[in-house]
Amino acid sequence: MSLSPTPLPPLTLVLGGARSGKSRHAESLIEATPGPWTYIATAEAFDAEMQARIATHRDRRSSAWHTVDAPLDLAPAIRAAPPGRAVLVDCLTLWLTNVLLADRDATAASVALVAACREAPGPLVLVGNEVGLGIVPDNALARRFRDAAGRLHQDLAAVADRVVFMVAGLPLQVK
Amino acid sequence: MSLSPTPLPPLTLVLGGARSGKSRHAESLIEATPGPWTYIATAEAFDAEMQARIATHRDRRSSAWHTVDAPLDLAPAIRAAPPGRAVLVDCLTLWLTNVLLADRDATAASVALVAACREAPGPLVLVGNEVGLGIVPDNALARRFRDAAGRLHQDLAAVADRVVFMVAGLPLQVK
Amino acid sequence: MSLSPTPLPPLTLVLGGARSGKSRHAESLIEATPGPWTYIATAEAFDAEMQARIATHRDRRSSAWHTVDAPLDLAPAIRAAPPGRAVLVDCLTLWLTNVLLADRDATAASVALVAACREAPGPLVLVGNEVGLGIVPDNALARRFRDAAGRLHQDLAAVADRVVFMVAGLPLQVK
C-alpha cells in the first residue's frame, strides 16, 4: 500500500472503525506524493491513554511530516497549509468531539470545514471514525455526536473525489 | 443519485448505520419510478427527539408520497399497497423494536414479513439499520434485538434482488 | 453459497457483525472441499445463553465435522490439525476475550496465532467479529479488547489470501 494506484486527487475521505488501519492507509497515500507533508492533528491529550495513542502515531511518522495541532480551528489550519503539498487531517471524529464539548455550533463548524476542504491549497486526505453501526447509545450526547458525525461524513463524501471504507487494514473503495 | 441506473427490481434492501443516508438513497431509488408512491412509516413518536426525526423525514418528501403508519402490522400494510406502484418501508429496525416491545413473537412476525415482501403488489424498497458492528451490548434485551435484526436482514437479503450497504451516503452494492 | 467459485486458498478471513452469517459462510466455503473437516471452537459455555448459541451452531454441522475445543491454546490446535484437510476457527473474537480474561499477553498470543495460521497444515478459514464500528465504549476493558481485536484482524488480513466482510449473509470480497 505504499504506492497509490493513481495520483492523489484533491480530496480523499478515509472512513473505518477503531483499529481498522485508517491512519496508516491515509499516511501511505500521502507518502506516495512529493514531501514535505502537513499532518493536522485534532487530538487533545486529556489523559494517559490518549497521550500513548498520540505518541504511537507520531513515532510512526517520518521527519518529512510537519505537525500542526488544530483541536478546534480545523478549517483555518487547512487553509493555512503550504500550497501544493499534501495534507492529512487525523481525525474528523476527535475534532467533532472537541467542537461539541466546547459547546460550539456543530452544524456551522461542519459547513465551514466542508468549504475549507473544497478550497484546500493541496491534496487533502481526511480520516474519520465510523461510529454509527452499533446499537443505539443510551445517552443523548452520544446520539447527538453520532448524528453529527454521520452528517459530516455524508457532506464530505458528497464533495470528495475518493472515499474508502477500511476493513482490517484493507481499503474498500466506495467512491 | 436521483436516477436509478436500472429499473427498480421487485425487492431492494438498503442497509447502513445511523445517519448513513439510507432513507435518502431509498427515496431517490423510488422517485426514479412513476408515482404516486407509498411510504410505510414504522416509527412511533414516543418523545420529542423522535418527533423531530419523523418531521425532518416527512418534510423532505414531496406530495407525491402517500404515508401509511404501520408500527406493528407491517406485512398487511405492504400487501394493501396500490398495485404496480413503488413502496418504501422506513424502517425495519423500528418495526422490530416495536414487535419486541409489544412482546410479540419476533420470529413469526419476521416470517410473515418476508412472505409479504415476496408477494408485494409493486416494487418494494426496505430500509434497515445495521446495529451489529459494535461491542457486544451489556443488556440482554439489546442482544436479543441485535440477533433478531441480524437474522431478519439475512432472511430478507436472501430473497432480495438488490442489497446495498450505505457508507457516508454512498451505496455499496452487495448483491 | 454451497460452492466456492475458486478452490479454497491457504488462508481466508471472514469478518462481519453479529448475526451477519459469518459462520454459515465459512462452513459453506469449507464444505465445498473434500472432508472430513476440523472445527476449532473457541467458545466457553459460561451461561445458558452461550450454551444455546453453541448448541445451535453444533446442530447445524454435519457429522463430517470433527470438533476440537481450544478456548485459549488456539495456535497449537491449528498446528495439530490433520494435514491437507480444511480447518475452521470459530471464532477469533471469543478466543481473544478468553486470552484477555485469563490475563495472558494478547500481543504475544496474537503473534503466535498469526505464525500458526501461516504454517497451517491445511486450508484455514478464520471467523472474526467486527466490533469497532460503534460509539467508543465507556469502559477501559472494552476499549482494550476493541483495540486488540482490530490489530489482530489487521495482522491476519495482511497475510490472508482472501478477506470477506459479511453484510446480511452476503460476502463482500475485500481482498
Side-chain angles (χ1 to χ4, degrees):
Chain A
M1 297 199 306
S2 61
L3 285 177
S4 163
T6 50
L8 199 55
L11 185 57
T12 302
L13 179 60
V14 178
L15 297 173
R19 303 286 143 214
S20 64
K22 299 181 301 293
S23 296
R24 197 181 289 265
H25 179 65
E27 289 167 21
S28 76
L29 290 176
I30 287 187
E31 290 175 353
T33 71
W37 315 293
T38 302
Y39 182 97
I40 304 183
T42 61
E44 284 191 295
F46 291 118
D47 55 24
E49 186 179 328
M50 188 58 92
Q51 277 165 14
R53 287 193 179 222
I54 292 174
T56 303
H57 276 226
R58 191 172 293 230
D59 290 352
R60 198 170 63 212
R61 296 194 299 272
S62 82
S63 61
W65 286 94
H66 172 63
T67 301
V68 174
D69 288 301
L72 277 170
D73 297 314
L74 182 52
I78 289 169
R79 293 182 188 277
R85 301 294 175 178
V87 174
L88 173 55
V89 173
D90 195 354
C91 69
L92 298 171
T93 316
L94 289 171
W95 170 74
L96 194 60
T97 305
N98 296 337
V99 167
L100 288 172
L101 291 179
D103 257 328
R104 294 206 187 174
D105 179 339
T107 304
S110 294
V111 168
L113 175 61
V114 172
C117 290
R118 302 188 73 166
E119 296 158 10
L124 184 59
V125 179
L126 307 168
V127 169
N129 250 52
E130 180 56 69
V131 297
L133 288 155
I135 283 286
V136 179
D138 283 336
N139 78 79
L141 178 63
R143 287 198 300 275
R144 254 183 69 211
F145 167 70
R146 200 169 76 137
D147 283 1
R151 273 192 295 259
L152 175 62
H153 291 168
Q154 281 192 51
D155 291 346
L156 289 167
V159 300
D161 304 285
R162 199 191 297 170
V163 179
V164 298
F165 179 68
M166 301 299 296
V167 175
L170 303 168
L172 192 63
Q173 192 163 335
V174 185
K175 182 179 182 179
Chain B
M1 298 200 302
S2 62
L3 284 177
S4 163
T6 51
L8 200 55
L11 185 57
T12 302
L13 179 60
V14 178
L15 297 173
R19 304 286 143 214
S20 64
K22 299 180 301 294
S23 297
R24 197 180 291 264
H25 179 65
E27 289 166 22
S28 76
L29 290 175
I30 287 188
E31 290 176 352
T33 71
W37 315 293
T38 302
Y39 183 97
I40 304 183
T42 61
E44 285 190 294
F46 290 117
D47 55 25
E49 187 179 330
M50 188 59 90
Q51 277 165 13
R53 287 192 179 222
I54 292 174
T56 303
H57 276 226
R58 192 172 293 231
D59 290 352
R60 198 169 63 211
R61 297 193 298 272
S62 82
S63 62
W65 285 94
H66 172 63
T67 301
V68 174
D69 287 302
L72 277 169
D73 297 315
L74 182 52
I78 290 170
R79 292 183 189 276
R85 300 297 174 176
V87 174
L88 173 56
V89 172
D90 195 354
C91 69
L92 297 170
T93 316
L94 288 171
W95 170 75
L96 194 60
T97 304
N98 296 338
V99 167
L100 288 172
L101 291 179
D103 256 328
R104 294 207 186 172
D105 179 339
T107 305
S110 294
V111 168
L113 176 61
V114 172
C117 290
R118 302 188 74 167
E119 296 157 10
L124 184 59
V125 180
L126 307 167
V127 169
N129 249 52
E130 180 55 71
V131 297
L133 288 155
I135 284 286
V136 178
D138 284 335
N139 78 79
L141 178 63
R143 287 198 301 276
R144 255 182 68 210
F145 167 70
R146 201 170 75 136
D147 284 1
R151 272 193 295 259
L152 175 62
H153 291 168
Q154 281 192 52
D155 291 347
L156 289 168
V159 300
D161 303 286
R162 200 191 297 169
V163 179
V164 297
F165 179 69
M166 300 300 296
V167 175
L170 303 168
L172 192 64
Q173 192 163 334
V174 184
K175 181 178 182 179
Chain C
M1 296 199 305
S2 61
L3 284 177
S4 162
T6 52
L8 200 55
L11 185 56
T12 302
L13 179 60
V14 179
L15 297 173
R19 304 285 144 214
S20 65
K22 300 180 301 292
S23 297
R24 197 181 290 265
H25 180 65
E27 289 167 22
S28 76
L29 290 175
I30 287 188
E31 291 176 353
T33 72
W37 315 293
T38 302
Y39 182 97
I40 304 183
T42 61
E44 285 191 296
F46 290 118
D47 55 25
E49 186 179 330
M50 188 59 90
Q51 277 166 12
R53 286 191 180 224
I54 292 174
T56 302
H57 277 226
R58 191 171 294 231
D59 291 352
R60 198 170 64 212
R61 296 194 299 273
S62 82
S63 61
W65 286 94
H66 172 63
T67 301
V68 174
D69 287 302
L72 277 168
D73 297 315
L74 181 52
I78 290 170
R79 292 182 189 277
R85 300 295 174 177
V87 174
L88 172 56
V89 173
D90 195 354
C91 69
L92 297 170
T93 316
L94 289 171
W95 170 76
L96 193 61
T97 305
N98 295 338
V99 167
L100 288 172
L101 291 179
D103 256 329
R104 295 206 186 173
D105 179 339
T107 305
S110 294
V111 168
L113 176 61
V114 172
C117 290
R118 302 188 73 167
E119 297 158 10
L124 185 59
V125 180
L126 307 167
V127 170
N129 249 52
E130 180 56 71
V131 296
L133 288 155
I135 283 286
V136 178
D138 283 335
N139 78 80
L141 178 63
R143 287 199 300 275
R144 255 184 68 212
F145 167 70
R146 201 169 75 136
D147 283 1
R151 274 192 293 261
L152 176 62
H153 291 168
Q154 281 192 52
D155 291 346
L156 289 167
V159 300
D161 304 285
R162 199 191 298 169
V163 179
V164 298
F165 179 68
M166 301 298 296
V167 175
L170 302 169
L172 193 63
Q173 192 162 333
V174 184
K175 181 179 182 178

